[in-house]
Amino acid sequence: DAGVIQSPRHEVTEMGQEVTLRCKPISGHDYLFWYRQTMMRGLELLIYFNNNVPIDDSGMPEDRFSAKMPNASFSTLKIQPSEPRDSAVYFCASRRGQGRDEKLFFGSGTQLSVL
Amino acid sequence: DAKTTQPPSMDCAEGRAANLPCNHSTISGNEYVYWYRQIHSQGPQYIIHGLKNNETNEMASLIITEDRKSSTLILPHATLRDTAVYYCIVRAMDSNYQLIWGAGTKLIIKP
């Protein structure tokens, strides 16, 4: 398996522009997570899905952020409009089921810079 | 807030065992101890987890004290590629999926 695939790897945009980050989870995984990582705040959970349904979006910072999972193999995180404080590394992660052997698999992340 | 305490940084010589401590004095009976690591510019990578028994896999060993208030991750023969930030996390298996990530330990392997 290719692992969790994120695109783009790097994104540079100007304040006010719309940004869309993409994620393909590992096939067969039914949980998908979006995280944000900054030097100041570390790794923060933004939202997670189970079987394509959003379960907890309490970590989404504000209404400018939205996430969708239209099918089991694809998810997007959108920021509209983007602001400089959104600059961070955004990670997508997935896992299979729930139980004793839970393991999160992370993608390589998207480095977002909002100028 | 993270429920674990780790030293901010550690050094280890290449080829030696790296022992990374973690304190989790408020751990509950149903909470597991997880270890992940993050190599520079990559996403976090799962290493190992355990409840109360010591665990070993191809990457590392996890030693949990009898009172479960602390644990140690052991990398038996550290290599330069083990340089990373190591995160110790506690989580109940039956909770919704909220891994609380602390600052971790920056482990530097020196040649």
Side-chain angles (χ1 to χ4, degrees), chain A residues 21-47:
Chain A
L21 311 181
R22 298 172 176 80
C23 175
K24 176 179 170 53
I26 293 174
S27 176
H29 283 192
D30 52 355
Y31 282 82
L32 183 138
F33 305 79
W34 282 101
Y35 284 87
R36 177 173 69 177
Q37 187 172 37
T38 61
M39 289 292 292
M40 289 295 294
R41 300 176 66 87
L43 203 59
E44 305 172 280
L45 177 65
L46 301 178
I47 185 172

Side-chain angles (χ1 to χ4, degrees), chain A residues 29-78:
Chain A
H29 283 192
D30 52 355
Y31 282 82
L32 183 138
F33 305 79
W34 282 101
Y35 284 87
R36 177 173 69 177
Q37 187 172 37
T38 61
M39 289 292 292
M40 289 295 294
R41 300 176 66 87
L43 203 59
E44 305 172 280
L45 177 65
L46 301 178
I47 185 172
Y48 79 93
F49 297 81
N50 178 214
N51 291 323
N52 314 336
V53 176
I55 303 301
D56 185 354
D57 64 354
S58 59
M60 297 285 263
E62 47 196 276
D63 292 345
R64 298 183 297 105
F65 286 70
S66 63
K68 294 182 180 180
M69 192 165 186
N71 57 61
S73 60
F74 183 66
S75 177
T76 59
L77 178 67
K78 184 176 294 186

